[in-house]
Amino acid sequence: MLLAGKSVIVSGVGAGLGHQVAATVVRDGGNAVLGARTAANLAKSAAEIDPEGRHTAHLATDITDEAQCEALAALALERFGRIDAVVHVAAWDSCFGGIEDADFATWQSVVDVNLLGTLRMTRACLPGLKERGGSVVVIGTQSSVAAPSQVRQAAYAASKGALTSAMYSMAREFGPYRIRVNTVLPGWMWGPPVQAYVRFTAHTEGVPEAEVLGRLGERMALPDLATDGDVADAVAFLASDRARAITGQSLLVNAGELMR
């Protein structure tokens, strides 16, 4: 029960990693405060994770809106009396392409969500985190340190790379309050987005899904792709007191595809 009694805010709760992180928080004894833009998705996730509603709360939240970020932090304090951790899953990852064909107006929107939105949400949680110390866990991406050859997402990678740089500053700034800041960098992660990629690629190429999945797995040191659950377990560790001396670090969860 790594998170027994702790209150953890999770942004970007949908069908994939955000849902899994929130479920892991509750599984490990904590209370999860769910935020995302779509209220119906939040209600569905909360009902699946915590049918009796004792260990979850949720509020529709757009992290590009500072007031909405503050409202989510206020809900955590109102419902559970504390904020022990905030996990940033919310991101815009559907902007594809490179520099040559870039629409920089769209890039600005990606940065507003992925970089500035995360910082807005972090700042909204600071008063609660300062009361007893705690943890900020940012979901980054392996593509911010090693561009993949299969899918080009330069805007997403650049915005997440900037966020990793911001992590170092936050870790130093918030350290005196015993607030730790770390980043988890997933690679290919078996969950709804990668499942959709495998289905689409298999259909486009006219090959079995197992063949597409096998190509992805060939690059891994371990025989299986990491899953949403594996990433959520790493998040739970970093959010817990077991990681009390870890801050300013980036943890790759990628089955050994990239080693650093």
Side-chain angles (χ1 to χ4, degrees):
M1 303 295 280
L2 284 176
L3 301 173
K6 293 190 181 297
S7 172
V8 181
I9 291 175
V10 185
S11 74
V13 175
L17 180 58
H19 174 86
Q20 189 62 54
V21 169
T24 300
V25 169
V26 174
R27 180 202 70 189
D28 286 358
N31 301 306
V33 182
L34 287 59
R37 291 183 300 170
T38 305
N41 291 346
L42 291 171
K44 183 175 185 293
S45 282
E48 291 175 0
I49 293 166
D50 178 34
E52 296 182 3
R54 292 186 298 171
H55 299 290
T56 57
H58 56 87
L59 182 67
T61 307
D62 182 342
I63 61 172
T64 66
D65 185 313
E66 195 156 2
Q68 292 187 39
C69 293
E70 291 171 353
L72 186 63
L75 174 63
L77 292 171
E78 176 186 342
R79 179 69 189 278
F80 300 115
R82 55 195 290 169
I83 299 174
D84 297 284
V86 56
V87 182
H88 298 288
V89 184
W92 184 345
D93 61 357
S94 57
C95 176
F96 296 96
I99 306 301
E100 187 175 5
D101 58 351
D103 173 0
F104 288 121
T106 302
W107 274 57
Q108 287 180 318
S109 297
V110 171
V111 170
D112 193 31
V113 174
N114 295 353
L115 174 60
L116 299 180
T118 298
L119 300 181
R120 287 186 195 97
M121 192 68 243
T122 300
R123 186 164 69 178
C125 295
L126 272 180
L129 287 168
K130 283 181 176 180
E131 290 186 11
R132 54 178 56 81
S135 176
V136 176
V137 184
V138 176
I139 301 298
T141 174
Q142 178 178 289
S143 64
S144 66
V145 294
S149 57
Q150 293 83 5
V151 181
R152 188 171 295 167
Q153 291 177 289
Y156 177 65
S159 64
K160 288 293 192 175
L163 191 53
T164 297
S165 294
M167 173 199 71
Y168 300 128
S169 295
M170 289 192 286
R172 185 68 67 182
E173 180 180 353
F174 304 158
Y177 304 113
R178 293 186 173 84
I179 299 170
R180 298 173 289 104
V181 189
N182 294 287
T183 299
V184 174
L185 302 176
W188 288 93
M189 179 175 59
W190 189 246
V194 172
Q195 289 167 354
Y197 167 82
V198 168
R199 286 194 300 268
F200 174 79
T201 303
H203 175 75
T204 301
E205 297 182 4
V207 299
E209 292 182 14
E211 180 178 327
V212 179
L213 185 58
R215 288 181 218 155
L216 297 179
E218 286 174 356
R219 297 190 300 275
M220 314 297 171
L222 296 172
D224 301 303
L225 268 65
T227 66
D228 285 355
D230 295 322
V231 175
D233 284 342
V235 167
F237 166 69
L238 289 173
S240 77
D241 293 338
R242 302 254 180 112
R244 63 180 294 274
I246 300 174
T247 194
Q249 305 301 317
S250 295
L251 176 62
L252 284 159
V253 183
N254 63 358
E257 179 184 10
L258 173 69
M259 302 182 187
R260 302 179 76 204

